[in-house]
Amino acid sequence: MTDLRPGEVIAGYVIARRIGTGGSGVVYAARHPRLPRLTAFKVLRRDDTAEADAMWRRFEREADIAAHFDHPNIVSVYDRGVTDGRFWISMQYIEGADVSELHGLAPDRALRIAADIAAALDYAHGKGVLHRDVKPSNILLAPPDSGRAERALLTDFGIARLRDETTQISQRSGNISATFAFASPEQVSGKPLGPRSDQYSLACTLFVLLTDQRPFQAESLLGWVHAHTREEPLRASAIRPGLPASLDAVLARAMAKDPQDRYPSCGEFVEAATQVYYADAAETVTAPARVPPPPPADTEPSAEARPEPVAASREPLWPKLFRKNVAIPLAVATVVAIGVGVALSGRDDPVTPPADGSVPEKFVGTWLAAEGRTNYRLAVSEGKTGDSVLSNTVDGVLPSGEPFHCEFAAPLRQVPADGERLLIGQSEIVDRDPPQACRAAGPTTLTFLPDGRVSRKTDVSGLITYTNADRLAESWGEEHAAIARAFPSLVGEAALTGRSTGWQGASCLARDPGPGDAQAAQGARRILCNSQDDTGQVRFDLFDFGTRPAASIADLFFGGRAEVSTRLHLDVAGELTVTTAAGMAQRDTEASKVLLAVTFPEGDPRARFVLVLRWPGHTAADVLDNWLNRAPLN
């Protein structure tokens, strides 16, 4: 089948670009014929073989099944048809990667993704549909927008079946359609399937998100059959030591060989995984197979942290939360409010809040988080009940490409006796641009986690887990910590892979100047962001010269020929100096290495650093007005 080219029209849809390809077809981004939006346009790879009819039936099945769904975590199907001999489906376009492209995920982000997919699967199971092919490449990530957190969506219901159809599946290997690495024992054995088969595949997927490795290893069909039906899964905590050992038991139960030994639903599996991750690992006990998990400890949380009474069984609380698709954020708040508080009470050195109800010292400071192209900056200050102690700044990029900026403030309502939480009152908007992008959150709980981070769940952004700015700087190692400490929001927290998600979703890594860089820059430390980006983002480098550079910036980066101007910035006391190669109106090209360089005033602690900026296709004025003005420089 010949690929479609940009500009070609099929069934009224105008092809914009190719997104990807799979075993059955090619997916394009295409402009809708009547609405001002992009769609994902999937075209069947059709050969002149006897299998064409069967493949079309699979296409029809995917469209028919997904068209009946209305769920925020399932990709919507809009239309289908046959045009010029091509079978096609028009689907919801998601501006983001599939999960298989992500590596080194933070565990809390992996759990949030799994929670979204668990909600989607439980919804489909409630409709009598099994997905049968849950795997990372069938999970798409919609980036945050308008203050809404990142969202995972399940796609490709092409091999989905109604539950009463699964007993008819042939045992011939050619009909085991799921990817073998994520297939359940009953799938590879040709046995009847139920909802817990999808749970098994989701557990394999979560294992990969947490560890970057598969829970089983095999190289052939027979090897996978043996692994899934005979072998025990690897231990996630052994691969990634930072994970609690109690999480291994949760994953093992969800990957039990007998479906009856797994959790009753996908939601309850992810809830259990989230509970043990946020609880004290030494105090957590995972329920054995076939035995209902024990109820939470008999502890009385404050009214603000308790959405409803906790009965002797978990059924009245947890399944309801997952059916409403708010499971993980509220689950975490409840688990930490109840479970972690109980665990801490048994320690030799329990932490108690100050008697006067003021903010415990460990909460005070700057806390940072990034979700896709949205950055969160939480500042907690000293204060007592009623004082405004929390300020929250949210910056990001809307789907239209327009940046947004929101600032909020909130008072302290209460410091519970466990000393691990702050109950925060209703937020107020301090600043917003554009206005429609910002919405104040209701009362929330700020929770200090066992790993030293804090989490906050709001009715606007969902659950966000923040890292202390000082700890973030340490993640870059001793040589580059000074850059990260000076510009934590710009560079973000470095993952085990050495990369980070920085300002507006930038991909950053430490790479000191080499032979291809300016001679005067040799010996400096450097963090590069978006250096290989081709999606149109600003590219920025942060240089650390140890002291204020002795040479002029014009000599250092522009061969002595440059123009100099000054600029004010809210994060800087004094004027920034902006050096450009050739005027503010000249557009950046791929041939240039530097468009402009920014330095800080004499006496500023950041005077030792130089911020170098590029934005191919844009002018220096564009960079200053649309990026630098908004960028956090502290």
Side-chain angles (χ1 to χ4, degrees), residues 3 59 77 83 97 140 145 394 482 529 547 592:
D3 282 354
F59 249 48
V77 168
T83 302
L140 304 179
D145 65 87
V394 184
C529 298
T547 61
S592 64

Side-chain angles (χ1 to χ4, degrees), residues 97-122:
D98 71 64
V99 170
S100 68
E101 299 177 16
L102 305 181
H103 303 283
L105 287 179
D108 58 327
R109 187 182 182 197
L111 288 165
R112 287 198 301 274
I113 292 171
D116 283 351
I117 301 307
L121 288 169
D122 286 346

Side-chain angles (χ1 to χ4, degrees), residues 1 12 17 115 152 180 213 255 280 292 312 427:
M1 181 183 71
R17 63 181 181 277
F180 294 120
Q213 292 189 33
M255 288 185 275
D280 188 321
S427 294

Side-chain angles (χ1 to χ4, degrees), residues 295-460:
D298 187 17
T299 301
E300 184 68 18
S302 63
E304 289 85 349
R306 185 183 59 195
E308 57 180 278
V310 180
S313 166
R314 291 189 304 176
E315 173 58 25
L317 176 60
W318 297 109
K320 285 182 181 180
L321 296 178
F322 272 84
R323 282 195 291 270
K324 292 179 181 178
N325 196 32
V326 295
I328 288 305
L330 194 50
V332 172
T334 306
V335 168
V336 177
I338 302 174
V340 175
V342 173
L344 288 170
S345 67
R347 293 180 178 173
D348 294 333
D349 54 345
V351 179
T352 57
D356 60 1
S358 60
V359 175
E361 183 179 357
K362 63 184 178 182
F363 280 96
V364 176
T366 300
W367 305 84
L368 304 168
E371 295 273 355
R373 297 186 68 182
T374 301
N375 297 81
Y376 302 86
R377 185 183 184 95
L378 199 66
V380 181
S381 59
E382 297 178 349
K384 300 179 181 180
T385 302
D387 294 343
S388 181
V389 299
L390 184 145
S391 64
N392 187 26
T393 303
V394 184
D395 289 277
V397 180
L398 299 171
S400 63
E402 179 187 8
F404 70 88
H405 173 82
C406 308
E407 295 180 25
F408 309 93
L412 177 65
R413 293 181 62 185
Q414 183 184 344
V415 182
D418 57 24
E420 302 301 304
R421 293 171 295 141
L422 301 180
L423 302 186
I424 304 298
Q426 174 79 36
S427 294
E428 294 183 359
I429 297 175
V430 176
D431 189 22
R432 55 184 177 180
D433 181 28
Q436 65 271 19
C438 308
R439 183 161 64 88
T444 62
T445 300
L446 193 66
T447 303
F448 196 89
L449 302 177
D451 63 3
R453 297 180 298 165
V454 298
S455 68
R456 183 182 185 221
K457 184 262 178 183
T458 74
D459 54 354
V460 177

Side-chain angles (χ1 to χ4, degrees), residues 187-200:
Q187 276 181 292
V188 299
S189 302
K191 296 179 180 179
L193 307 184
R196 296 184 191 192
S197 175
D198 282 343
Q199 180 187 141
Y200 183 99

